């Protein structure tokens, strides 16, 4: 008696990355350097390649605080986000101002346009002002930073252009 073995044709093994119509053809790399053809760029020119670009500089403290205040007063962040960054009455001022979200705009996010500082003698107090674009309107914000015994800057006062009173001061 003879037995015949019939073998089923086996399916091809699945490939880990099947070639489909959605794959892009490989493009050749450019033959020139990012700054131009070889030999035309001066040696050691910084800023022409990401690896040789200068490191970004840290923002000054008054600009960082202006961005933080903007985030709270536009409703992007809660008031308690500034709890460890305020002293004195500044936190109470923020608690009163923030629920009204005076810097919120109906269009894109408000943007810090300009921030300037005036440093007082002893370099322990800095008074700043900032202009903020909220859609088509430009708003003003003033605040004071004080340096504590631990050498950290904290916000001591905040004031907006009209405080939501229609331009009248209380």
């Amino acid at each position: 008696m003879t037995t015949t073995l019939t073998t089923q044709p086996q399916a091809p093994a699945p490939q880990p990355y099947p070639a489909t119509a959605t794959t892009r053809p490989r493009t050749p790399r450019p033959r020139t350097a990012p700054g131009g053809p070889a030999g035309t760029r001066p040696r050691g020119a910084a800023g022409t390649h990401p690896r040789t670009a200068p490191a970004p500089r840290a923002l000054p403290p008054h600009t960082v605080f202006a961005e933080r205040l903007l985030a709270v007063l536009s409703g992007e962040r809660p008031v308690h986000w500034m709890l460890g960054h305020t002293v004195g009455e500044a936190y109470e001022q923020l608690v009163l101002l923030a629920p009204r979200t005076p810097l919120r705009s109906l269009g894109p996010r408000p943007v810090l346009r300009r921030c300037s500082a005036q440093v007082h003698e002893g370099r322990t107090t800095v008074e700043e002002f900032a202009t903020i674009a909220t859609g088509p309107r430009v708003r003003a914000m003033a605040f004071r930073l004080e340096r504590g015994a631990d050498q950290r800057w904290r916000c001591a006062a905040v004031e907006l252009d009209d405080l939501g009173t229609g331009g009248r001061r209380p």
Side-chain angles (χ1 to χ4, degrees):
M1 187 173 190
T2 54
T3 59
T4 56
L5 293 173
T6 58
T7 58
Q8 297 280 338
Q10 293 185 357
Q15 301 212 354
Y17 300 105
T20 63
T22 60
T23 59
R24 291 181 8 184
R26 187 168 210 185
T27 57
R29 291 184 176 215
R31 292 180 181 229
T32 60
T40 61
R41 186 177 60 191
R43 286 193 111 152
T48 56
H49 193 271
R51 288 188 217 134
T52 59
R57 294 180 12 194
L59 293 174
H62 65 274
T63 305
V64 172
F65 270 89
E67 288 285 349
R68 291 182 77 89
L69 288 170
L70 173 61
V72 169
L73 295 173
S74 66
E76 188 177 315
R77 291 285 189 158
V79 179
H80 67 266
W81 190 54
M82 290 292 292
L83 191 57
H85 301 281
T86 55
V87 293
E89 294 181 16
Y91 188 73
E92 284 117 26
Q93 290 171 334
L94 286 174
V95 167
L96 294 174
L97 287 172
R100 292 184 263 165
T101 58
L103 297 180
R104 178 174 283 174
S105 72
L106 298 175
R109 180 189 184 276
V111 177
L112 185 67
R113 290 182 60 189
R114 182 176 177 201
C115 188
S116 295
Q118 179 181 3
V119 181
H120 292 277
E121 290 184 34
R123 298 188 180 266
T124 58
T125 305
V126 179
E127 291 183 358
E128 293 89 25
F129 76 89
T131 55
I132 299 162
T134 58
R137 187 172 179 195
V138 176
R139 304 285 307 266
M141 177 175 60
F143 57 99
R144 182 175 58 245
L145 297 180
E146 294 177 354
R147 185 178 283 189
D150 60 354
Q151 300 301 311
R152 290 181 55 202
W153 291 102
R154 290 183 179 84
C155 184
V158 179
E159 189 173 327
L160 292 178
D161 51 2
D162 64 359
L163 296 174
T165 60
R168 294 182 309 274
R169 294 275 167 170

